[in-house]
């Protein structure tokens, strides 16, 4: 699994980029869900989100998940193209698979990549 | 009578393997003082006795094939069901199978549902059909669930036509108790209005507009303008349609409807005192993820055979649990099959014959009834196989008089619309001969 | 290009072919409505009757069914469906009665429904029963609506949390979700019972109630059931019983006697309504006295009492604080109620108890035969079903592989991956209508498969190999979403 070191991670498997404000789901999350066939972003541009608010709903062939805001702030952008190509979440979760951008987002309880990798390893065994 | 295929000797051997002495020993987890209650039920009958008993009960009814001439519709219709339909439904391979969870050994059910979905989308002019709902009323309630989920609770208003089947409206009220919805449009007293009255009620808070086609009073409207208005405000439109009428009429899909639902009982399902019936649900592809109910999609197996599976299951209750659009976990599988066999064996031309007979006979009946002094059609709009007859006396009295002469006259509309005392809803299908219609006319002339 | 084993009904169509024809019209012809009102085309198939019969016969041959073999699908109660039910439900007096006929003309139907309400009350120990719900999930929704209405009627508005065990069917939380309530998950303890400590901690004055399947989806009768009910009701909550597993309790214990407030029946499981490839079901609901006024309307009641000479007049009555109507008309009368009525009538009180006893015996017998080969996480006397784990130390074989391999032995697989709290779950419910030989053959097959898992795991990974179809590409189905076939190529408008 892959967890870039410039990002922060939540226990519920979202990532947050403090530099750009972008957020999405981690590589670990997409591999657990397997083939993702549906994404719905639940917030609109301009909306204020709090940490833990449901920002997206994802369905794969076998599972479904709610995605929660890793940071609080104003939603400055929503990845509208994602719903057309939900498989992007499998192929590029940290790039094209970003879900929303949170302006001046104040992160909630997050880990760095090393801690997150350890956290994931603990769950697979 | 028992269906347990285990001899006493086998039972004892099995108990020994389990490690207990008697059958009763298997139930020690159950609180002792509640264990083995004596049930006050009639003693068991043999098959021969049960068959006779049920035949007695059934024959104490007056039915619409042997005992009564019927012009009763209002949501359930007396149509001819070709013999082959029930022969197929009686195949144990179909009726004793369960939900096709294991596609390798359920392709019969899966392909049949796929074909049902195809038949319904082609009939309604829509893009997607699910595997069916309990009945027309609950299918309409599921349209409300879809719209609610589509707007994620941000729009909470329904514009409801007063000429949607009153039982369907009642079911929607029951279903939506926890959603905090407001419903406008179906206030008592405005049932004479056409769809244009609804247009002014649609606003940016409206999630769904619900109309019926033909409406509960049998009237045919082109809803295109209404649908365009709703779409301008961002609202969805659900059309509750009669499948027999759709054989002939412009499809709701062509008018731009977002959801087309209805009761498919007229397509091969007996009246059966109200159920089980078949709720069909069709929509546009863009709403498929918010649609409740099972869905079958095409795929291939590892050997390269075209085959079918339940698909998009992650949106359903067993995976999405409390976040699912609906809790539904079955469809009306066997009846969807019956509907498909009905549509297939009549085929395009046979269905057109059915629709044409309904139309012609209903119009003959309407014309003859209107000639009677004091009677007349209540509405000027075109109709298909059902119309409202204005009667000189309360419809309830007319019905009682007709029943005394072995005729079910129709549906007394004052049951649901208190100010429609002298309004009788009359349905005519291919099952009504000219003689039957003439009998009705003659009886009312003499009344 | 994929190989087509059986074309669709659209592909079989040929323009101009005719099946059943209708009689000519016997009334003067009038014009159809103006063209604007008419559809321009009707893209539906055209076939002869024999084409239709051969097509559906072919499709039927692709199905596994209870009539064809052993179908131990846990939680679904796939018992044999007596053939006589198929005849009684098709008696013309039932088949051809319209749901809106005057009550005087359908006294046979109403008497049957009235008796059915009474019998279900007697079997379950409840004070009231509605026959209206169309299926188990529909019954659940009905029950939850009544629970909400009960609290509301008492001005008790802060109750918004429903307690649901971790082993519950997905329909339980989904029913609750439809009412906007929240779900509180209660864990199970090491014996498969509700964890009493967790339950106690969750019970407070915001609890609507608890939804409990008992026996639960592990096949275990909760050994503390009376304590569980006391805790929930002690904090003002109502106790919902999911009747999915009622087959184990007929004549054994009545949920109403245990203190449950509401429970749905699954007539298609317990009372032999055939499953029909996924429906129609039938889901009547029973309630205790305090919920009786909230039942859906209408119920069947006696309008005029009878005497020795004349039968009573049956009709419809509306409960005082009814939650309203759950569906059009009166429930699944013909396909559901008549079949179940026939079934109960032929069993009587002793026959019903036999059903439960032999259902439980068969499950325990299979559990005993498979213990040692498969890990059974909650190992005690089970009720009508049990759950075992479909995986082995040091092997990559999974429950899914075992299930698929069972098809090669001509068995329908058990329910797999449910309940969620058991890894690689295989949930086995044999029902009472299987003989010892079948159970032995099934156990032998599973024991053989366990050996194969070690010696020839690819046999399992690649299973099934003897069936007409192999494993399906579910990702392709979900990604490409081909949900219907379109016009046949040779279609002429």
């Amino acid at each position: 699994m892959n967890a870039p070191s410039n990002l922060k991670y939540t226990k519920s498997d979202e990532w947050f980029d403090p530099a750009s404000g972008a957020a999405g789901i981690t590589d670990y999350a997409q591999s657990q869900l397997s083939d993702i066939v549906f994404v719905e972003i639940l917030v609109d541009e301009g909306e204020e989100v709090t940490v833990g608010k449901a920002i997206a709903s994802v369905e794969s062939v076998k599972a479904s998940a709610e995605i929660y805001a890793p940071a609080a702030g104003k939603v400055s952008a929503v990845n509208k193209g994602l719903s057309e190509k939900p498989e992007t979440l499998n192929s590029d979760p940290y790039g094209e698979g970003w879900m929303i951008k949170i302006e001046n987002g104040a992160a909630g309880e997050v880990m760095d990549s090393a801690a997150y990798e350890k956290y994931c390893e603990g769950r697979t065994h | 009578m028992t269906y347990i295929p285990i001899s006493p000797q086998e039972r004892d051997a099995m108990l020994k393997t389990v490690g207990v002495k008697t059958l009763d020993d298997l139930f020690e987890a159950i609180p002792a003082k509640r264990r083995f209650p004596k049930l006050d039920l009639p003693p068991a009958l043999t098959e021969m006795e049960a068959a006779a008993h049920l035949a007695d009960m059934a024959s104490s009814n007056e039915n619409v094939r042997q005992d009564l001439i019927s012009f009763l519709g209002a949501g359930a219709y007396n149509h001819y069901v070709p013999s082959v339909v029930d022969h197929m439904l009686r195949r144990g391979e179909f009726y004793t199978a369960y939900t096709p969870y294991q596609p390798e050994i359920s392709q019969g059910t899966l392909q049949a549902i796929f074909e049902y979905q195809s038949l319904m989308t082609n009939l309604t002019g829509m893009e997607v059909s699910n595997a069916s709902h309990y009945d027309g009323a609950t299918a309409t309630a599921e349209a409300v669930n879809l719209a609610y989920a589509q707007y994620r609770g941000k729009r909470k208003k329904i514009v409801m036509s007063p000429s949607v089947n009153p039982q369907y409206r009642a079911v929607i009220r029951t279903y939506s108790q926890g959603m905090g919805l407001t419903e406008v449009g179906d206030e008592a007293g405005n049932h004479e209005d056409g769809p244009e009255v609804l247009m002014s009620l649609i606003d940016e808070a409206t999630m769904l507009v619900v109309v019926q086609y033909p409406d509960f009073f049998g009237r045919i409207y082109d809803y295109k303008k209404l649908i365009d208005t709703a779409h301008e405000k961002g609202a969805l439109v659900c059309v509750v349609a009669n499948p027999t009428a759709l054989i002939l009429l412009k499809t709701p899909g062509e008018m731009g409807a977002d959801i087309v639902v209805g009761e498919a009982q007229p397509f091969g399902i007996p009246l059966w005192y109200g159920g089980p019936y078949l709720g069909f649900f069709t929509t546009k592809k863009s709403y498929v993820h918010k649609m409740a109910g099972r869905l079958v999609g095409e795929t291939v197996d590892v050997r390269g055979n075209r085959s079918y599976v339940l698909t998009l299951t992650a949106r359903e209750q067993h995976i999405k649990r409390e976040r699912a659009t609906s809790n539904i976990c079955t469809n009306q599988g066997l009846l969807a099959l019956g509907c498909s066999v009905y549509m297939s064996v009549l085929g395009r031309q046979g269905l057109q014959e059915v629709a044409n007979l309904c139309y012609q006979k209903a119009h003959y009946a309407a014309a003859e009834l209107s000639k009677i002094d004091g009677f007349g059609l209540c509405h000027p709009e075109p109709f298909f196989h059902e119309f409202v007859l204005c009667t000189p006396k309360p419809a309830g009295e007319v019905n009682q008089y007709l029943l005394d002469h072995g005729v079910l006259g129709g549906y007394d509309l004052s049951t649901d619309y208190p100010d429609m005392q002298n309004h009788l809803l009359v349905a005519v299908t291919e099952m009504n001969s000219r003689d039957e219609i003439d009998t009705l006319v003659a009886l009312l002339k003499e009344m | 290009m994929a190989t087509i084993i059986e074309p669709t009904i659209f592909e079989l169509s040929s323009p101009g072919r005719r099946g059943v024809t209708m009689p000519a019209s016997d009334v003067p012809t009038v014009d159809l409505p103006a063209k604007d009102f008419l559809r321009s085309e009707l893209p539906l198939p055209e076939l002869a009757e024999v084409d239709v019969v051969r097509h559906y016969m072919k499709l039927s041959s692709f199905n596994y069914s209870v009539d064809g073999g052993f179908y131990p699908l846990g939680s679904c109660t796939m018992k044999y469906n007596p053939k006589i039910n198929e005849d009684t439900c098709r008696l013309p007096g039932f088949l051809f009665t319209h749901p809106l006929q005057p009550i005087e003309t359908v006294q046979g139907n109403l008497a049957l429904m009235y008796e059915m309400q009474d019998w279900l009350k007697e079997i379950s120990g409840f004070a009231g029963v509605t026959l209206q719900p169309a299926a188990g999930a529909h019954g659940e929704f009905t029950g939850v609506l009544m629970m909400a209405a009960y609290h509301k009627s008492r001005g008790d508005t802060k109750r918004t949390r429903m307690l649901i065990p971790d082993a519950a069917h997905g329909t339980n939380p989904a029913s609750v979700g439809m009412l906007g309530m929240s779900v509180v998950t209660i864990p199970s303890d090491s014996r498969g019972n509700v964890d009493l400590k967790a339950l106690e901690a969750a019970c407070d004055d915001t609890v609507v109630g608890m939804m409990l399947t008992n026996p639960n989806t592990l096949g275990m009768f909760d050994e503390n059931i009376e304590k569980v009910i006391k805790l929930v009701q002690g904090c003002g909550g109502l106790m919902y019983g999911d009747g999915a597993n009622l087959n184990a309790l007929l004549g054994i214990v009545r949920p109403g006697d245990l203190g449950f407030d509401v429970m749905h029946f699954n007539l298609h499981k317990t009372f032999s309504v055939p499953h029909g490839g996924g429906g129609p079901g039938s889901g009547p609901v029973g309630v205790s006295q305090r919920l009786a006024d909230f039942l859906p309307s209408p119920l069947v009641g006696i309008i005029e009492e009878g005497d020795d000479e004349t039968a009573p007049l049956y009709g419809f009555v509306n409960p005082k604080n009814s939650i309203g109507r759950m569906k059009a008309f009166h429930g699944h009368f013909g396909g559901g109620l008549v079949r179940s009525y026939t079934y109960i009538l032929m069993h009587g009180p002793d026959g019903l108890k036999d059903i439960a006893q032999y259902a439980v015996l068969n499950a325990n017998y299979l559990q005993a035969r498979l213990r040692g080969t498969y890990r059974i996480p909650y190992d005690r006397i089970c009720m009508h079903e049990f759950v075992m784990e479909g995986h082995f130390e040091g092997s990559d074989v999974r429950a899914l592989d075992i299930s698929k391999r069972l098809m090669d032995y001509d068995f329908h697989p058990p329910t797999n991956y449910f309940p969620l709290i058991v890894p690689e779950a295989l949930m086995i419910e044999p029902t009472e209508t299987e003989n010892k030989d079948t159970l032995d053959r099934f156990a032998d097959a599973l024991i053989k498969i366990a050996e194969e898992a070690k010696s020839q795991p690819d046999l399992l990974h690649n299973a099934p190999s003897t069936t007409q179809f192999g494993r399906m590409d579910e990702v392709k189905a979900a990604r490409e979403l081909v949900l219907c076939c379109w016009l046949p190529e040779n279609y002429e408008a």
Side-chain angles (χ1 to χ4, degrees):
Chain A
M1 75 159 243
N2 158 24
S5 59
N6 61 322
L7 304 178
K8 300 292 180 197
Y9 301 88
T10 66
K11 280 193 165 172
S12 48
D13 303 304
E14 292 90 7
W15 59 264
F16 177 62
D17 181 353
S20 69
I25 63 167
T26 66
D27 185 42
Y28 177 86
Q30 72 76 19
S31 70
Q32 290 291 309
L33 284 161
S34 79
D35 306 282
I36 293 169
V37 295
F38 177 64
V39 191
E40 182 184 21
I41 308 285
L42 302 172
V43 292
D44 299 319
E45 268 178 36
E47 205 173 316
E48 290 285 338
V49 292
T50 52
V51 172
K53 184 189 161 72
I55 55 165
S57 178
V58 172
E59 292 171 18
S60 70
V61 171
K62 294 282 178 207
S64 80
E66 294 261 87
I67 314 304
Y68 304 105
K74 190 170 157 187
V75 178
S76 60
V78 164
N79 188 352
K80 293 200 179 75
L82 211 49
S83 61
E84 298 297 315
K85 281 198 208 157
E87 61 274 20
T88 311
L89 285 177
N90 291 121
S91 58
D92 191 9
Y94 300 113
E96 293 295 306
W98 68 275
M99 290 177 161
I100 62 169
K101 284 185 179 155
I102 305 169
E103 204 170 67
N104 302 322
E109 204 181 308
V110 288
M111 295 169 259
D112 63 21
S113 61
Y116 181 66
E117 277 173 17
K118 208 165 170 191
Y119 168 69
C120 291
E121 269 171 38
R123 287 188 291 171
T124 39
H125 295 293
Chain B
M1 179 76 195
T2 179
Y3 296 96
I4 297 167
I6 295 172
S7 71
Q9 295 85 333
E10 288 167 326
R11 175 198 61 204
D12 292 343
M14 292 165 76
L15 285 169
K16 202 170 164 197
T17 305
V18 173
V20 297
K21 286 210 170 65
T22 68
L23 287 170
D24 284 0
D25 293 345
L26 295 167
F27 297 98
E28 280 176 0
I30 287 153
K33 62 177 191 296
R34 302 293 183 195
R35 218 183 287 163
F36 310 134
K38 184 152 176 33
L39 299 181
D40 181 16
L41 293 173
L45 299 187
T46 60
E47 181 178 306
M48 190 169 108
E49 293 163 317
H53 181 82
L54 269 294
D56 267 357
M57 290 186 101
S59 62
S60 71
N61 293 323
E62 294 176 60
N63 73 62
V64 301
R65 290 288 164 91
Q66 295 147 326
D67 310 308
L68 298 166
I69 295 173
S70 174
F71 297 96
L72 190 51
Y77 299 89
N78 183 22
H79 286 287
Y80 182 72
V81 180
S83 176
V84 64
V85 174
D86 198 44
H87 279 278
M88 293 301 104
L89 297 192
R90 281 198 182 233
R91 297 294 309 176
E93 296 89 334
F94 283 130
Y95 85 80
T96 74
Y98 192 41
T99 301
Y101 290 128
Q102 301 290 347
E104 298 87 347
I105 50 174
S106 310
Q107 283 300 302
T109 296
L110 285 161
Q111 184 168 335
I113 295 174
F114 182 83
E115 292 176 3
Y116 162 82
Q117 291 174 179
S118 309
L119 290 162
M120 296 323 280
T121 51
N122 283 9
L123 181 72
T124 56
M126 302 300 283
E127 294 169 337
V128 177
S129 163
N130 71 10
S132 72
H133 283 302
Y134 307 132
D135 68 1
T138 61
T140 314
E142 292 289 1
V144 174
N145 284 340
L146 184 153
Y148 187 81
Q150 179 66 22
Y151 293 109
R152 307 197 299 266
K154 287 176 182 166
R155 290 182 178 221
K156 291 198 164 192
K157 182 172 150 185
I158 304 177
V159 175
M160 174 68 71
S161 159
S163 60
V164 169
N165 187 320
Q167 295 206 356
Y168 292 23
R169 287 185 280 130
V171 170
I172 287 173
R173 282 194 294 276
T174 310
Y175 263 56
S176 60
Q177 280 168 31
M179 294 182 188
L181 304 182
T182 51
E183 193 183 296
V184 298
D186 74 335
E187 296 81 5
N190 58 1
H191 52 82
E192 296 286 343
D193 296 330
E196 54 289 336
V197 176
L198 299 173
M199 286 190 215
S200 61
L201 301 173
I202 304 168
D203 59 19
E204 262 84 19
T206 306
M207 62 181 213
L208 186 68
V209 180
V210 187
V211 292
Q212 187 169 322
Y213 179 65
D215 74 3
F216 189 61
F217 306 128
R219 300 174 297 188
I220 300 168
Y221 291 108
D222 189 331
Y223 290 119
K224 180 148 194 334
K225 259 194 209 145
L226 176 78
I227 291 169
D228 288 346
T229 305
H231 287 170
E232 278 163 28
K233 306 280 183 186
L236 304 185
V237 179
C238 170
V239 176
V240 181
N242 177 299
T244 315
L246 290 186
I247 296 167
L248 201 62
L249 301 180
K250 187 180 196 175
T251 66
E254 220 175 314
M255 298 175 193
D258 300 289
I259 305 167
V260 182
V261 298
E263 178 53 70
Q265 174 273 330
F267 275 15
I269 297 164
L271 284 168
W272 247 350
Y273 200 52
Y277 288 174
L278 175 66
F280 67 86
F281 191 109
T282 59
T283 185
K284 294 175 177 168
K285 214 162 183 174
S286 46
Y287 303 122
V288 69
H289 288 273
K290 291 298 159 74
M291 177 174 70
R294 296 223 166 101
L295 194 59
V296 171
E298 186 183 302
T299 188
V300 291
D301 73 359
V302 288
R303 301 167 204 166
N305 296 318
R306 185 176 70 185
S307 43
Y308 304 92
V309 288
L310 292 173
T311 193
L312 298 188
T313 56
R315 65 194 214 305
E316 294 184 74
Q317 50 76 31
H318 66 282
I319 291 174
K320 221 165 177 183
R321 298 175 84 89
E322 66 268 29
R323 292 183 294 112
T325 297
S326 164
N327 75 348
I328 193 159
C329 73
T330 48
N331 64 331
Q332 301 290 89
L334 195 65
L335 302 175
L337 173 68
C339 173
S340 297
V341 180
Y342 175 88
M343 291 177 80
S344 305
V345 81
L346 279 164
R348 186 163 70 94
Q349 293 185 57
L351 289 169
Q352 281 168 333
E353 288 170 1
V354 171
N356 189 52
L357 284 172
C358 289
Y359 182 87
Q360 295 296 341
K361 286 169 186 261
H363 284 73
Y364 173 72
E368 294 301 309
L369 289 166
S370 308
K371 291 178 192 160
I372 310 170
D373 260 3
F375 289 82
L377 294 190
C378 305
H379 302 123
E381 288 83 5
F383 62 94
F384 173 62
H385 70 343
E386 201 162 20
F387 55 87
V388 183
L389 184 68
C390 279
T391 53
K393 288 183 186 172
E397 284 178 39
V398 175
N399 265 344
Q400 188 55 53
Y401 161 80
L402 289 171
L403 183 60
D404 292 342
H405 293 83
V407 176
L408 295 174
Y411 185 67
D412 174 3
L413 284 166
S414 70
T415 316
D416 306 292
Y417 302 87
D419 55 340
M420 294 181 89
Q421 286 297 323
N422 294 19
H423 292 68
L424 186 66
L425 182 63
V426 178
V428 188
T429 72
E430 79 280 5
M431 299 299 287
N432 296 112
S433 65
R434 180 175 184 156
D435 277 354
E436 289 185 357
I437 297 167
D438 291 343
T439 301
L440 173 69
V441 173
L443 281 169
L444 290 179
K445 264 186 195 154
E446 287 162 18
M447 186 174 78
Chain C
M1 269 299 280
T3 311
I4 295 172
I5 298 200
E6 173 65 9
T8 67
I9 200 87
F10 285 81
E11 290 160 341
L12 292 167
S13 170
S14 178
R17 240 188 249 175
R18 294 300 314 267
V20 171
T21 56
M22 297 306 289
S25 175
D26 56 357
V27 297
T29 303
V30 295
D31 290 340
L32 293 179
K35 205 160 183 275
D36 286 353
F37 287 102
L38 302 179
R39 66 186 301 156
S40 50
E41 54 170 22
L42 185 66
L44 294 176
E46 297 175 71
L47 303 102
E49 181 167 320
V50 64
D51 303 331
V52 174
V53 170
R54 295 250 169 91
H55 173 65
Y56 287 104
M57 286 296 289
K58 183 76 176 174
L59 291 189
S60 77
S61 76
F62 298 159
N63 268 8
Y64 196 94
S65 65
V66 174
D67 276 359
F70 185 44
Y71 212 127
L73 200 58
S75 224
C76 300
T77 315
M78 298 301 290
K79 61 170 73 180
Y80 171 71
N81 307 124
K83 296 296 168 196
I84 181 68
N85 295 352
E86 299 311 301
D87 296 342
T88 55
C89 78
R90 287 172 172 89
L91 286 160
F94 297 137
L95 218 46
F96 303 125
T97 38
H98 189 288
L100 299 170
Q101 278 184 224
I103 57 168
E104 294 80 2
T105 64
V106 284
Q107 285 296 300
N109 293 344
L110 292 167
L112 186 146
M113 292 172 75
Y114 186 82
E115 278 187 273
M116 193 68 184
Q117 287 175 184
D118 270 359
W119 292 355
L120 292 179
K121 284 187 234 172
E122 177 62 21
I123 287 166
S124 60
F126 285 113
V129 161
T130 170
L131 303 173
Q132 209 175 83
H138 203 220
E140 262 179 48
F141 184 40
T142 308
V144 177
L145 280 166
M146 285 190 275
M147 292 164 82
Y150 169 82
H151 291 309
K152 195 174 165 203
S153 75
R154 295 155 51 92
D156 197 352
T157 52
K158 59 181 179 300
R159 294 186 182 271
T160 55
R161 295 158 69 233
M162 186 72 86
L163 312 180
I164 298 182
D166 52 9
H169 293 114
T171 49
N172 292 171
S175 302
V176 167
M178 285 170 84
L179 269 170
M181 297 171 182
S182 62
V183 172
V184 180
T185 303
I186 307 294
S188 307
D189 71 12
S190 61
R191 287 184 62 78
N193 298 316
V194 171
D195 185 327
L196 287 175
K197 276 209 186 102
L199 177 62
E200 196 166 359
C203 281
D204 62 23
D205 62 359
T206 65
V207 166
V208 178
M210 180 176 201
M211 297 181 83
L212 181 68
T213 310
N214 189 38
N216 64 19
T217 57
L218 299 164
M220 300 286 137
F221 191 92
D222 199 297
E223 295 165 307
N224 311 310
I225 186 63
E226 288 176 312
K227 279 185 204 151
V228 169
I229 294 175
K230 214 168 163 187
L231 274 173
V232 172
Q233 292 174 342
C235 70
L238 294 162
M239 196 67 197
Y240 186 97
D242 181 325
N245 298 338
L246 189 67
N247 207 45
L249 301 184
L250 299 173
I252 304 297
V253 63
R254 307 195 311 165
D257 292 348
L258 291 171
F260 280 93
D261 290 291
V262 49
M263 183 191 80
H264 75 265
F265 301 81
N266 295 90
L267 299 187
H268 49 286
K269 297 180 183 177
T270 316
F271 299 108
S272 84
V273 174
H275 283 70
S282 184
V285 175
V287 291
S288 61
Q289 195 59 53
R290 58 176 168 167
L291 289 179
D293 283 345
F294 300 95
L295 283 166
S297 47
L299 305 173
V300 177
I302 290 178
I303 307 284
E304 283 170 31
E305 290 294 341
D307 54 34
D308 294 346
E309 314 265 287
T310 50
L313 179 70
Y314 298 101
F316 294 107
V317 292
N318 292 330
K320 200 165 59 185
N321 300 315
S322 174
I323 54 163
R325 182 174 267 291
M326 291 306 297
K327 67 182 293 298
F329 310 125
H330 326 301
H332 283 174
F333 175 80
L337 304 181
V338 179
R339 284 175 170 125
S340 295
Y341 180 96
T342 308
Y343 185 75
I344 295 172
L345 191 65
M346 289 179 63
H347 279 84
D350 299 335
L352 292 180
K353 186 181 172 192
D354 284 344
I355 289 171
Q357 290 196 315
Y358 281 87
V360 172
L361 174 65
N362 280 0
N364 277 287
Y365 179 69
L366 271 183
Q367 184 176 244
R369 291 257 359 236
L370 293 166
R371 182 181 288 130
T373 307
Y374 290 85
R375 183 177 137 75
I376 296 172
Y378 300 88
D379 192 3
R380 56 180 167 100
I381 294 280
C382 66
M383 298 299 279
H384 63 302
E385 68 191 2
F386 67 99
V387 178
M388 59 185 204
E389 296 181 11
H391 60 137
F392 307 98
E393 192 66 41
S395 161
D396 60 351
V397 160
R398 306 178 61 217
L400 185 76
D401 303 316
I402 295 168
S403 292
K404 300 299 183 196
R405 182 65 179 150
L406 271 169
M407 296 175 190
D408 287 333
Y409 288 89
D410 201 24
F411 291 111
H412 194 284
T415 297
N416 43 58
Y417 300 103
F418 189 82
L420 307 173
I421 57 173
V422 175
E424 301 296 323
L426 290 167
M427 183 193 208
I428 300 174
E429 180 182 10
T431 84
E432 73 283 3
T433 61
E434 298 301 329
N435 66 29
K436 183 170 175 292
D437 300 340
T438 304
L439 300 178
D440 281 330
R441 278 195 298 112
F442 181 70
D444 292 344
L446 274 168
I447 291 165
K448 182 94 188 294
I449 290 170
E451 284 166 21
E452 291 171 352
K454 283 167 204 136
S455 57
Q456 311 168 72
D458 280 349
L459 263 184
L460 278 74
H461 293 314
N462 299 329
S465 57
T466 61
T467 51
Q468 179 114 41
F469 292 86
R471 290 196 198 188
M472 311 287 157
D473 185 345
E474 295 187 20
V475 176
K476 177 185 164 77
R479 288 256 160 91
E480 294 176 11
L481 275 192
V482 178
L483 302 174
C484 58
C485 48
W486 296 99
L487 305 183
E489 269 171 42
N490 53 357
Y491 171 74
E492 292 166 17

